[in-house]
Amino acid sequence: MDTSETGLEKIIVDWLSDQNGYEQETPHAFNKDFALVDKWVERFISETQPEKVEQSMCFKSPSERQKFFTRLSGEITKRGVTDVLRKGYKFNGSTFDLYYPLPSELNPSAKVAYAHNIFGVIRQVMYSKSNNNEIDFVVFINGLPLATFELKNNFTGQTYENAIMQYRTDRDPHSTGSGQAKELLLQKKRCAVHFAMDDCQAWMTTELCGKDTWFLPFNRGTGGGAGNPVVEGDTMTSYVWKDVLTKQTLSTIIENFAQVIRSEDKKTHKEMEKVIWPRYHQLDAVRSLLHVTKQSPIGRRFLIQHSAGSGKSNSITWLAYQLVTLLQENQQPFFDSVVVVTDRVNLDRQIRDNIHAFQRLSNLVGWADKSSSLRELLQGGKKIIISTIFKFSFILDEIGNSLKDRRFAIIIDEAHSSQSGSLSANLATGISGNAAPVVPLCGEEEKHPGLVAEDREPYGQPNQSEDMEDKIYRILKGRKLAKNANYYAFTATPKNKTLEMFGDRIERIASTGLAEVPDEPLYVPFHEYTMKQAIEEGFILDVLKYYTPYSSYYRVLKAVEDDPEFDRKKALGKIRSYVERQPETIEKKSEIIVEHFCRKVYMKIGGHARAMVVTSSIERAIEFYKSITRMLVERNSPYRAIVAFTDKVIDGKVVTEAELNGFPSAEIEQRIEQEPYRFLIVADKFQTGYDQPLLHTMYVDKQISDLKAVQTLSRLNRCHPKKHDTFVLDFANDPEMIRQAFQRYYKTTILAGESDINKLNDLTEIIERFNFYTQKDADSVVELKLTGRDDDRPKTDAIIDSVVRRFKDELDEDGQIKCKSAIKNFCRCYPYFAGIMPIESPEWERQYIFYALLLKKLPKLKIDDDTQGLLDDIDFDKYRIVREEERAIVLENEDAAVSPIPVGAGGGKPSPDMDVLSSIVKDFNDTYGNIEWKNRDEVQRQIEELPVRIASSVDFVNALRNGDRQVAQMTFNDDIVGIVAGMLEEKTEFVERYFNNPDFQNFVNARVFQAAVQRFGGTCSH
């Protein structure tokens, strides 16, 4: 048995020849002058297009043949090999086809034409005129080189990494000093892709550029992570030659994936070119979606969980294009139109650019921002229509009835942010043709004004024969996802709502010991490319690897003689907010940011590193911008900052980012890539969807959690050939909370269980218990809303105003809070439940219409501010910020289960925990650093080591792991005193304070116990 590299090479090439119908030639068949196999080109053209050969006289004489191949070689250099294969080549007045596409089942002549394609392979290709270098093997189509392969072999001690190094150091694509191509085969676009591969892994690049060549993984993934699974009876990378290099798959890639994207450099205005070849997860996702789509009836839903930075835009583009060309068995289009719903305007341009590279269809893509433009696009033959989620309701506003007989594919970009109740309801209503005015989700229209037409017949001509019951049922049907559409939802961070709406439902059976009974179902993604795999493959960077939290310590003073009472919990938060916005606080943090960037960051990414400062408000962003700008000027730094926020009125004047920056807002993304701008200071902008590989470091001064934490910090994860790490400096968040947020989306996110729609009954029972309206009130409002005329509006006002009056007069303060909270929860949950529940409830629909209108007029309830006057009674004394130890936040190798959407209930007025001001100030200072230490760093080190030292107590750790918090607390109390006493031999300052100050001892014990629970137990019951 040959276990050498040559043995692996022979296995691959023999399989391509014997099993896949490839032709094999000797290395001498490769023509170095033209970087192609001219005999294959000539044979293919002569056999398939003899009339054109005769007319053009391309092979009539050696000189004409030379001209033919010289021009062909130049066209490949100019346009790229995939474009030449797809669109052909002109010579002497004739256009030659250089490849025939995959045929449809019902086209015999196309099958014959496709069979003439020559799929070829040559081993040990000697491609150079200046040396004897060889490439292990090259794949050709009709003589044009498509892919090169460098093989390595673990049995001989070399891996794909050695192949990558060989491409970078010994496969020189650059030109010589005379301007002639040194190695024509390796020039950009001459080959579509270059593979570095061994028996375990495969990596790829589309552009060779010496030591800067950037290889991407082309692996299937295993266990949610990098690499490839073990294959029974075969090599782990056999999928490359037994799947990807098969004629069917390779043809699919050429026709539908591989391309050259051209764009303009914003700085130089020169044309830039990028060669695209799909990653394996992209190829697999699109092929799997197309396969299941073709096998399934219309109305299927798909959830694709692909990590941030994993190329979702290209995946969406490829899917949209191929859904348009997908045919039913009768050879009719599977879909009439594909609608891409996104909140990224630049996706329109990207899809246009990508589609332009394909031959079969042109002028496909249109942008719709109103119903008239959508109508024009449909009538003009546009097959792919792109719109933002916020404008989609307008698009469907007038044409729902005209679309019910059409078939749609709806691709939703970043589905977690696109599926709020009224948005999805209106999207489904318009497409299904079940058009009716849908009452918007309460509060939603404040965020997105005008999403739903309220007081007119919004979808074409009203149906005069409909009564109120007909309208109710039509609205109910409209709330369901349309049956004449497939949904393809892409997201990196699926919420519970997204999983339940689009995920694959898996039934479960639980065994009780006596019998098997149905268990709560699971909802899982259809396809996934996890954050874990993307990080392990190096496709995105691990933003938690270098994470440094800062702890702030403050001291405030009681500024009044008396001792008033305040709500303790609220007061502590209010004091912290107060000291965080003091000029001294902003100044100190700005100093840390500027010093850190100028000492440790600016030289990263080849000297082009950028930083983002995430602030808690527009006011803080402006203050940071001014402070950082001043400090950069004072230290004669060449760098400058940009601030990004939405225009706001401050002190009676409209403040804009353009005014502060000195250039229009639209230029921010372009300017941050240019010198001298290195800092982007943001307030709720650029924290999602912003793709900037030069962003290296993030300074966080805003509390972020769950999805927002993942989205914000993930702005750093985009790769760059010279970007090897990232850095997070966090002033505001607990590292454990950040870890928990990322863990939820690190591998597959699964919804365990499903929503309990009967919770809506619980809410209506709470509301009706207060008896402040009659059924007649509700019925009258619903009838007026659905069947009344515009001049009936005063009647609706009169009914609701009287109900509101009874709400104010008959309910006490706690009752008003409980009742209004229950109404809000009903209006929040019902539109979503109506879209997923298997039944239709006219009763709930009527209640929703009534509650949604009533909620608009219910009074804003005053919850007592038990901290009023607090800030007048304290003074800011001292502020100190301490850098904690840099750490790597490590995530567990496990899937995450999320719970269904919580419904909640009517909550009463919270009971304040009142305490005197002196006690609150003392507690605040004890928590945030009241003690003046001589050697503070040493004290901090000793405290930080206590959770590790307590781990030496076997009884304590066992109690933690067994979930017995009471026993663990008792053991801790006994052991911690001895541990601290044993530290006397090290330094005495901390130990003396611990034993002489009971309050400090309790403070330390509480925090060390909690830290130990999180570190060694984490499951203690309360």
Side-chain angles (χ1 to χ4, degrees):
M1 181 178 64
D2 186 354
T3 58
S4 68
E5 175 187 313
T6 304
L8 179 61
E9 178 185 316
K10 185 175 186 302
I11 288 172
I12 297 172
V13 173
D14 285 352
W15 193 92
L16 292 175
S17 301
D18 300 340
Q19 304 296 325
N20 200 28
Y22 272 54
E23 292 189 25
Q24 186 176 353
E25 268 290 355
T26 64
H28 298 291
F30 180 76
N31 189 314
K32 298 178 185 179
D33 291 327
F34 306 124
L36 48 76
V37 181
D38 50 349
K39 63 186 294 185
W40 275 338
V41 176
E42 183 172 352
R43 192 182 103 203
F44 172 75
I45 290 176
S46 298
E47 288 179 356
T48 60
Q49 301 150 83
E51 300 86 358
K52 294 178 183 178
V53 171
E54 183 68 27
Q55 186 271 328
S56 67
M57 298 189 296
C58 57
F59 305 134
K60 199 75 170 178
S61 66
S63 61
E64 283 300 311
R65 190 177 188 277
Q66 180 76 12
K67 290 177 186 177
F68 178 89
F69 282 108
T70 299
R71 176 172 168 77
L72 175 58
S73 182
E75 284 291 293
I76 297 172
T77 299
K78 182 170 66 176
R79 292 163 48 198
V81 65
T82 53
D83 193 68
V84 172
L85 283 170
R86 268 201 295 264
K87 298 180 181 178
Y89 157 64
K90 297 179 185 296
F91 181 78
N92 283 0
S94 296
T95 300
F96 290 93
D97 294 318
L98 291 175
Y99 166 79
Y100 288 128
L102 283 164
S104 66
E105 290 297 322
L106 302 179
N107 192 336
S109 62
K111 290 182 180 180
V112 172
Y114 182 77
H116 278 92
N117 289 321
I118 304 168
F119 289 78
V121 61
I122 299 178
R123 295 175 61 183
Q124 302 301 312
V125 175
M126 294 179 286
Y127 59 90
S128 177
K129 288 181 167 186
S130 59
N131 57 51
N132 293 322
N133 283 356
E134 297 176 345
I135 290 179
D136 288 335
F137 71 91
V138 179
V139 167
F140 299 83
I141 294 184
N142 298 325
L144 305 191
L146 191 73
T148 72
F149 289 79
E150 289 290 357
L151 292 181
K152 298 300 171 191
N153 183 39
N154 280 273
F155 284 129
T156 51
Q158 290 198 317
T159 69
Y160 73 91
E161 292 176 318
N162 299 99
I164 288 176
M165 185 59 63
Q166 190 171 15
Y167 270 120
R168 285 175 174 165
T169 59
D170 199 28
R171 298 290 179 260
D172 187 359
H174 297 107
S175 298
T176 63
S178 63
Q180 297 299 313
K182 187 173 182 181
E183 308 296 0
L184 193 56
L185 177 66
L186 305 181
Q187 293 289 301
K188 184 177 180 179
K189 299 183 294 182
R190 297 284 316 198
C191 277
V193 66
H194 307 275
F195 282 97
M197 192 169 75
D198 61 24
D199 46 301
C200 295
Q201 292 200 45
W203 289 64
M204 54 163 264
T205 186
T206 58
E207 182 179 358
L208 295 174
C209 41
K211 59 183 177 59
D212 294 326
T213 301
W214 191 15
F215 275 83
L216 298 174
F218 193 80
N219 296 310
R220 296 166 63 195
T222 179
N228 286 303
V230 173
V231 180
E232 185 175 355
D234 211 339
T235 307
M236 291 165 67
T237 49
S238 60
Y239 65 94
V240 174
W241 60 91
K242 293 187 176 180
D243 176 13
V244 178
L245 295 184
T246 59
K247 292 181 179 181
Q248 175 81 24
T249 303
L250 208 54
S251 293
T252 298
I253 294 175
I254 293 168
E255 295 172 32
N256 301 313
F257 289 91
Q259 59 198 110
V260 177
I261 301 297
R262 293 173 174 84
S263 59
E264 184 182 77
D265 188 304
K266 295 176 182 178
K267 289 184 263 186
T268 65
H269 300 291
K270 293 182 179 179
E271 186 178 69
M272 298 186 300
E273 294 181 326
K274 185 176 183 182
V275 184
I276 303 293
W277 184 274
R279 294 272 313 284
Y280 186 81
H281 73 273
Q282 295 172 313
L283 178 66
D284 186 60
V286 174
R287 286 196 302 169
S288 299
L289 289 166
L290 292 169
H291 175 74
V292 176
T293 295
K294 204 165 184 178
Q295 303 301 317
S296 305
I298 197 77
R300 185 77 157 79
R301 308 176 197 176
F302 302 89
L303 179 62
I304 303 95
Q305 182 182 356
H306 281 191
S307 167
S310 62
K312 285 195 293 295
S313 296
N314 275 333
S315 298
I316 288 171
T317 300
W318 290 322
L319 178 62
Y321 170 70
Q322 292 177 70
L323 287 174
V324 163
T325 60
L326 194 65
L327 298 177
Q328 303 178 62
E329 289 185 3
N330 61 6
Q331 299 304 294
Q332 293 300 306
F334 205 92
F335 298 106
D336 295 292
S337 291
V338 175
V339 181
V340 181
V341 183
T342 179
D343 56 4
R344 293 185 288 163
V345 176
N346 66 340
L347 194 64
D348 169 46
R349 172 53 55 189
Q350 184 165 354
I351 290 181
R352 285 175 186 270
D353 291 343
N354 288 6
I355 292 293
H356 181 70
F358 299 117
Q359 178 188 20
R360 281 179 291 163
L361 297 168
S362 60
N363 197 25
L364 273 178
V365 184
W367 173 264
D369 57 359
K370 51 183 180 289
S371 58
S372 60
S373 63
L374 177 59
R375 193 181 301 112
E376 291 169 4
L377 294 174
L378 290 170
Q379 293 172 353
K382 296 290 186 185
K383 303 292 288 184
I384 299 176
I385 300 163
I386 308 168
S387 182
T388 64
I389 187 65
F390 306 119
K391 291 183 178 178
F392 203 79
S393 294
F394 289 118
I395 296 170
L396 301 173
D397 201 30
E398 296 176 358
I399 61 170
N401 288 319
S402 67
L403 296 177
K404 62 184 177 182
D405 295 326
R406 293 178 179 263
R407 295 159 64 100
F408 286 85
I410 311 296
I411 302 176
I412 304 172
D413 177 30
E414 295 301 341
H416 63 259
S417 62
S418 302
Q419 284 304 300
S420 60
S422 64
L423 291 172
S424 59
N426 280 272
L427 184 152
T429 298
I431 290 176
S432 65
N434 299 312
V438 177
V439 180
L441 182 68
C442 296
E444 197 69 37
E445 66 275 19
E446 276 85 7
K447 298 177 187 174
H448 314 301
L451 284 175
V452 182
E454 277 278 345
D455 296 312
R456 58 194 177 88
E457 190 70 30
Y459 302 105
Q461 297 300 315
N463 186 342
Q464 301 296 335
S465 65
E466 280 189 327
D467 61 15
M468 190 177 71
E469 290 303 308
D470 293 331
K471 289 179 180 286
I472 288 284
Y473 275 101
R474 191 152 56 88
I475 294 173
L476 281 169
K477 290 184 182 300
R479 293 196 185 279
K480 305 290 185 184
L481 289 177
K483 294 180 180 179
N484 58 322
N486 277 9
Y487 292 82
Y488 304 84
F490 285 78
T491 181
T493 49
K495 293 180 179 179
N496 47 12
K497 187 184 295 186
T498 314
L499 280 158
E500 191 166 10
M501 185 170 285
F502 298 110
D504 289 351
R505 190 176 193 270
I506 300 176
E507 297 286 353
R508 291 193 295 173
I509 300 296
S511 176
T512 63
L514 300 175
E516 291 186 340
V517 296
D519 198 357
E520 286 286 309
L522 297 177
Y523 289 84
V524 300
F526 173 82
H527 195 276
E528 65 202 45
Y529 178 70
T530 66
M531 182 192 303
K532 172 182 167 64
Q533 182 176 351
I535 289 173
E536 289 183 356
E537 290 184 338
F539 189 60
I540 63 172
L541 294 168
D542 183 358
V543 299
L544 302 181
K545 190 173 183 179
Y546 299 102
Y547 180 96
T548 298
Y550 267 69
S551 294
S552 296
Y553 297 92
Y554 323 95
R555 189 164 78 176
V556 296
L557 304 175
K558 186 165 75 75
V560 291
E561 291 187 7
D562 57 350
D563 211 4
E565 288 191 340
F566 299 100
D567 182 333
R568 180 178 175 279
K569 184 176 181 180
K570 290 182 179 178
L572 290 173
K574 200 166 188 177
I575 293 172
R576 183 169 189 188
S577 177
Y578 162 72
V579 297
E580 285 287 359
R581 67 173 181 261
Q582 294 302 307
E584 297 95 322
T585 308
I586 302 293
E587 189 83 0
K588 185 63 179 175
K589 289 178 180 176
S590 297
E591 184 181 325
I592 291 170
I593 290 169
V594 171
E595 181 68 17
H596 179 265
F597 183 88
C598 292
R599 286 185 58 230
K600 295 188 174 181
V601 179
Y602 79 93
M603 76 289 290
K604 298 284 188 174
I605 318 183
H608 299 290
R610 267 62 180 170
M612 179 180 283
V613 182
V614 179
T615 68
S616 59
S617 68
I618 291 175
E619 290 82 359
R620 296 294 85 71
I622 294 171
E623 290 164 5
F624 268 108
Y625 170 75
K626 291 179 177 178
S627 180
I628 289 173
T629 297
R630 177 177 49 78
M631 291 180 182
L632 290 170
V633 172
E634 288 174 352
R635 65 189 293 151
N636 294 319
S637 171
Y639 308 130
R640 293 294 177 266
I642 295 174
V643 64
F645 60 89
T646 304
D647 298 353
K648 185 173 184 181
V649 177
I650 301 176
D651 297 330
K653 179 187 174 185
V654 177
V655 180
T656 70
E657 57 190 7
E659 176 187 349
L660 291 171
N661 291 325
F663 53 79
S665 300
E667 295 181 11
I668 288 179
E669 290 189 53
Q670 174 186 343
R671 296 269 187 151
I672 197 63
E673 295 180 346
Q674 303 171 6
E675 299 297 347
Y677 300 108
R678 293 298 189 97
F679 294 87
L680 182 59
I681 302 167
V682 303
D684 287 326
K685 288 186 79 172
F686 295 101
Q687 285 178 241
T688 61
Y690 179 49
D691 188 350
Q692 176 48 263
L694 295 179
L695 195 59
H696 177 276
T697 294
M698 186 173 288
Y699 304 100
V700 183
D701 194 45
K702 174 185 180 179
Q703 290 191 332
I704 50 178
S705 60
D706 193 42
L707 181 59
K708 182 65 74 173
V710 176
Q711 289 178 325
T712 300
L713 297 187
S714 292
R715 296 311 100 211
L716 297 178
N717 70 13
R718 302 314 196 261
C719 279
H720 183 281
K722 297 181 180 179
K723 184 175 177 181
H724 308 296
D725 55 19
T726 66
F727 190 84
V728 177
L729 196 156
D730 196 334
F731 296 109
N733 297 284
D734 178 358
E736 174 58 21
M737 299 301 291
I738 298 294
R739 187 197 69 78
Q740 291 177 16
F742 272 81
Q743 185 67 60
R744 194 165 292 124
Y745 306 108
Y746 183 53
K747 290 187 67 180
T748 306
T749 308
I750 299 168
L751 173 63
E754 57 189 349
S755 298
D756 182 0
I757 60 175
N758 278 298
K759 293 290 186 182
L760 294 174
N761 290 324
D762 298 339
L763 291 173
T764 56
E765 287 176 10
I766 293 172
I767 299 164
E768 291 170 353
R769 196 182 305 150
F770 291 99
N771 198 29
F772 68 100
Y773 70 89
T774 66
Q775 190 60 47
K776 182 180 178 182
D777 294 329
D779 291 343
S780 298
V781 168
V782 173
E783 185 168 3
L784 285 167
K785 172 66 181 172
L786 295 182
T787 63
R789 300 186 305 272
D790 288 347
D791 55 7
D792 287 328
R793 161 72 189 267
K795 297 177 184 177
T796 304
D797 282 334
I799 298 171
I800 291 182
D801 289 344
S802 64
V803 171
V804 171
R805 173 53 55 192
R806 292 197 293 273
F807 177 87
K808 293 178 179 177
D809 293 345
E810 299 175 11
L811 276 64
D812 60 20
E813 184 181 18
D814 194 56
Q816 289 180 4
I817 293 171
K818 287 180 179 178
C819 182
K820 186 176 180 181
S821 175
I823 293 174
K824 275 187 173 180
N825 279 332
F826 186 95
C827 291
R828 174 179 63 88
C829 294
Y830 171 72
Y832 168 67
F833 285 173
I836 62 169
M837 62 191 188
I839 53 95
E840 295 171 355
S841 171
E843 181 180 338
W844 277 343
E845 186 64 43
R846 291 189 189 93
Q847 287 175 311
Y848 175 71
I849 294 172
F850 174 62
Y851 290 154
L853 292 172
L854 174 63
L855 193 57
K856 299 300 179 187
K857 289 203 170 189
L858 288 179
K860 291 185 177 180
L861 302 180
K862 177 182 177 294
I863 298 178
D864 294 335
D865 182 3
D866 297 305
T867 64
Q868 191 168 5
L870 169 69
L871 299 184
D872 296 331
D873 296 342
I874 62 172
D875 283 333
F876 180 68
D877 182 36
K878 291 183 179 179
Y879 172 75
R880 188 169 56 83
I881 188 164
V882 176
R883 179 182 185 274
E884 296 184 22
E885 182 182 356
E886 182 182 297
R887 64 196 70 184
I889 297 179
V890 180
L891 303 176
E892 299 296 324
N893 182 25
E894 56 189 29
D895 295 335
V898 297
S899 301
I901 179 174
V903 176
K909 180 180 177 182
S911 300
D913 176 16
M914 303 302 289
D915 203 352
V916 294
L917 177 61
S918 58
S919 176
I920 292 171
V921 169
K922 180 179 181 300
D923 192 24
F924 181 84
N925 288 330
D926 285 345
T927 302
Y928 294 108
N930 185 38
I931 302 170
E932 297 291 343
W933 299 100
K934 294 177 182 177
N935 192 340
R936 184 174 295 275
D937 291 340
E938 182 61 33
V939 171
Q940 182 177 337
R941 182 191 63 78
Q942 289 178 296
I943 295 175
E944 289 175 348
E945 286 182 0
L946 286 174
V948 179
R949 296 186 186 225
I950 195 68
S952 62
S953 169
V954 177
D955 292 340
F956 171 68
V957 173
N958 284 339
L960 280 181
R961 290 175 175 163
N962 292 330
D964 194 332
R965 191 182 183 99
Q966 186 174 5
V967 174
Q969 184 72 69
M970 294 171 58
T971 308
F972 176 88
N973 294 340
D974 291 340
D975 291 352
I976 192 68
V977 174
I979 289 173
V980 175
M983 298 169 75
L984 270 171
E985 298 177 0
E986 302 172 16
K987 297 283 184 179
T988 61
E989 187 180 14
F990 162 66
V991 179
E992 288 175 356
R993 176 73 66 174
Y994 180 88
F995 285 114
N996 293 334
N997 187 333
D999 290 338
F1000 178 68
Q1001 183 178 115
N1002 292 335
F1003 171 80
V1004 170
N1005 285 357
R1007 280 151 182 79
V1008 171
F1009 180 77
Q1010 187 58 38
V1013 168
Q1014 292 177 350
R1015 183 164 185 168
F1016 300 106
T1019 58
C1020 277
S1021 56
H1022 293 269

